[in-house]
Amino acid sequence: MSPDLALGTYRCRDIPQAAVHAVACGASWIDTAPNYQHGHAQTRLRPVLAGNPDLRVSTKVGFFTPDIATAAREAGVLTPAEAASGHCLSHRYVAWQSRRNVAELGRVPDIVFVHNPERADHAQDAITNAFTALEADARAGRIGGYGVATWTGFEGAFSVADLLDIATRCGGPDHHLAAIQLPVSLVMLKPVAQAMEGTGPLAAATEVGLDTFVSAPLHGGELPGMVTAELAQLIDPGTTPAEAALRVIASTPGVKHVLLGSGHAQHWEAAQRILALPPLPDKTLHEVIDVLGA
């Protein structure tokens, strides 16, 4: 089954316009965070979500802007030291930020991701604190479910099995852990190599029924300038570098949603076409891994 296109609002310059293109191309998810666009991403999404009630939305807890830090300190949920750090996963802060997310989005988020918990000194303790707060929100109907969005966390700070264990301790067998999000691209190729062998976070998440969101598939827009004509030819003759890069991600086992942050209609249309194609042969993916290394 081909993965879905989704709008990722990190570094997205014009969120409302990007959302229009995303919806036109059949995207069913928008991913955001309270600290994106200097703290304005969620409020800029509110009219989009109101006008498209079938759109699903994921947001995050963890990072915050100086303005959010000031509000949180005034609310008594951040200490001065926590406010200065720019990131917090304490139970009281996560519960406060989760309620704030709902107010800014104008609706209950379908998933709230714990944002880069590997940043904490004791990542699994931080995840436990956050999951405890988010489990309470899920049971009260204030969020649909929760997950972890990470950049390097699956490199040793925690595993999918660890997340399941923590969620079970926080919420029992009927916990609301729903998804993971991680970067996968021709630069961040290790998850592809692992998935091809049936290992790693994508395979583990798929095995236990968790949703998977892939961030930075074009490595922040840098990949089209990095992919050579020879590599694009190896991946899929006749495609552009950006299309070739997306072709690999769309063909990776376990990838369910690919986050694209472009504000250009032609980029969405091209991505829609690429994701609708059949997966590349395993032989091609193994050749790409051999050429680039994992």
Side-chain angles (χ1 to χ4, degrees):
M1 183 175 176
S2 299
D4 298 328
L5 264 179
L7 171 61
T9 58
Y10 180 59
R11 292 184 177 176
C12 184
R13 295 181 181 179
D14 189 338
I15 288 176
Q17 187 61 50
V20 168
H21 298 319
V23 171
C25 287
S28 58
W29 277 93
I30 295 180
D31 179 72
T32 192
N35 61 307
Y36 290 175
Q37 275 211 343
H38 307 290
H40 300 297
Q42 295 193 131
T43 54
R44 288 172 182 166
L45 276 173
R46 184 169 181 162
V48 176
L49 296 171
N52 296 275
D54 291 335
L55 269 177
R56 305 185 76 188
V57 61
S58 56
T59 188
K60 303 179 181 74
V61 290
F63 289 108
F64 46 81
T65 64
D67 286 345
I68 297 173
T70 298
R73 282 195 62 188
E74 291 174 352
V77 297
L78 282 181
T79 67
E82 288 169 339
S85 73
H87 183 270
C88 183
L89 292 174
S90 70
H91 184 286
R92 64 184 183 280
Y93 175 72
V94 168
W96 179 86
Q97 182 62 67
S98 183
R99 291 192 296 272
R100 184 184 174 98
N101 288 345
V102 174
E104 291 190 340
L105 291 169
R107 54 164 286 188
V108 169
D110 296 280
I111 293 175
V112 175
F113 286 110
V114 179
H115 204 176
N116 288 19
E118 66 269 24
R119 180 184 172 103
D121 289 337
H122 302 284
Q124 294 195 32
D125 290 342
I127 294 169
T128 301
N129 292 334
F131 279 13
T132 300
L134 294 174
E135 186 64 46
D137 277 352
R139 290 181 182 276
R142 292 187 290 267
I143 65 174
Y146 55 87
V148 167
T150 180
W151 191 257
T152 61
F154 290 122
E155 294 298 311
F158 47 81
S159 65
V160 169
D162 292 328
L163 300 183
L164 279 170
D165 179 63
I166 295 169
T168 301
R169 285 191 276 114
C170 294
D174 297 324
H175 61 75
H176 289 78
L177 177 65
I180 62 169
Q181 183 183 132
L182 70 159
V184 184
S185 69
L186 292 181
V187 174
M188 309 286 281
L189 198 58
K190 185 174 180 179
V192 178
Q194 291 174 321
M196 293 301 294
E197 300 300 327
T199 63
L202 291 171
T206 300
E207 183 178 356
V208 297
L210 296 181
D211 224 346
T212 57
F213 292 75
V214 165
S215 60
L218 297 178
H219 202 63
E222 296 177 11
L223 258 176
M226 300 166 65
V227 176
T228 64
E230 291 79 10
L231 180 57
Q233 180 75 11
L234 169 65
I235 294 169
D236 191 3
T239 57
T240 68
E243 290 169 349
L246 281 176
R247 193 91 161 86
V248 170
I249 305 312
S251 302
T252 300
V255 173
K256 296 182 182 177
H257 308 285
V258 179
L259 301 177
L260 189 68
S262 176
H264 301 285
Q266 63 269 31
H267 293 167
W268 283 95
E269 291 162 1
Q272 181 187 34
R273 179 176 58 80
I274 290 298
L275 265 64
L277 294 173
L280 291 168
D282 287 358
K283 177 178 180 291
T284 300
L285 291 176
H286 283 299
E287 287 174 346
V288 172
I289 292 165
D290 288 343
V291 168
L292 296 179

